[in-house]
């Protein structure tokens, strides 16, 4: 988890330094192999919501400047949404990448809550119909999407 945070924040910081604190180190405590750490620059957080036009312009710039190292969607190691592992497997399409991640979240939810048939029916409809219908169009009939950084920890 700490390595994923370090690597992803390092990648974001390299492309768009204003969006992420500079990572310093990550590791495991020598005295406790089950205890880990992640260190980065400290920044005082402003309680105000950032200006939407400035924030979205910076976000668009980060997307435009970031480059996938292999032309695919994914990341070279697992990252986490809180304590939930994300599926960062390299894929050829945004549809497949998005579907894999959403399926992982559905699977974790089902595992945690022992869901019923209704949940599975909705999950299958979202994964097999909605994701396909909405995202496949973006990469069909000559259209393409450039793989770029997808993020959770952005600062202003």
């Amino acid at each position: 988890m700490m390595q994923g945070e370090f690597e992803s924040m390092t990648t974001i910081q390299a492309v768009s330094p204003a969006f992420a604190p500079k990572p310093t180190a990550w590791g495991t405590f020598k005295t406790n192999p089950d205890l880990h750490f992640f260190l980065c620059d400290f920044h005082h957080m402003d309680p105000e919501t950032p200006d939407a036009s400035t924030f979205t312009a910076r976000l668009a710039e980060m997307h435009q400047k970031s480059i996938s190292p292999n032309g695919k969607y994914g990341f070279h190691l697992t990252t986490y949404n809180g304590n939930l592992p994300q599926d960062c497997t390299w894929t050829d399409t945004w549809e497949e990448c998005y579907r894999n991640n959403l399926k992982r979240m559905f699977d974790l939810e089902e595992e945690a809550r022992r869901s019923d048939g209704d949940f599975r029916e909705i999950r299958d409809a979202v994964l097999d119909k909605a994701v396909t219908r909405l995202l496949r169009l973006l990469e069909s009939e000559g259209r393409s999407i450039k793989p770029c950084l997808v993020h959770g920890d952005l600062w202003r």
Side-chain angles (χ1 to χ4, degrees):
M1 186 184 294
M2 297 302 105
Q3 183 182 15
E5 186 69 11
F6 182 85
E7 293 286 333
S8 61
M9 295 293 272
T10 298
T11 303
I12 292 170
Q13 231 280 326
V15 174
S16 188
F19 265 147
K22 185 177 180 180
T24 305
W26 74 275
T28 301
F29 282 80
K30 290 180 182 178
T31 58
N32 184 346
D34 295 323
L35 189 60
H36 313 283
F37 65 89
F38 167 75
L39 299 173
C40 65
D41 287 351
F42 175 81
H43 293 270
H44 179 73
M45 299 296 291
D46 189 342
E48 300 299 317
T49 303
D51 176 67
S53 60
T54 302
F55 182 82
T56 54
R58 286 183 182 166
L59 183 59
E61 180 183 23
M62 184 181 78
H63 287 156
Q64 291 168 348
K65 288 171 56 178
S66 65
I67 299 171
S68 171
N70 58 13
K72 295 184 178 222
Y73 299 87
F75 202 62
H76 62 277
L77 51 87
T78 300
T79 60
Y80 290 77
N81 180 5
N83 65 345
L84 302 175
Q86 300 184 99
D87 186 339
C88 297
T89 306
W90 293 109
T91 62
D92 292 322
T93 67
W94 174 238
E95 175 191 344
E96 184 182 6
C97 181
Y98 189 88
R99 185 184 189 287
N100 289 350
N101 265 295
L102 192 55
K103 182 180 182 312
R104 169 75 59 90
M105 293 302 127
F106 278 134
D107 290 347
L108 291 168
E109 178 67 17
E110 189 169 21
E111 182 182 309
R113 305 226 190 280
R114 310 261 191 267
S115 61
D116 58 16
D118 289 342
F119 176 84
R120 287 186 210 99
E121 186 178 332
I122 292 168
R123 176 200 63 201
D124 292 347
V126 168
L127 292 174
D128 298 334
K129 294 177 183 173
V131 170
T132 300
R133 289 177 185 165
L134 293 172
L135 298 183
R136 188 167 295 165
L137 291 173
L138 299 173
E139 298 179 277
S140 63
E141 299 178 13
R143 290 183 291 266
S144 63
I145 302 172
K146 176 190 137 212
C148 64
L149 287 172
V150 178
H151 37 76
D153 293 336
L154 298 181
W155 298 31
R156 56 184 171 124

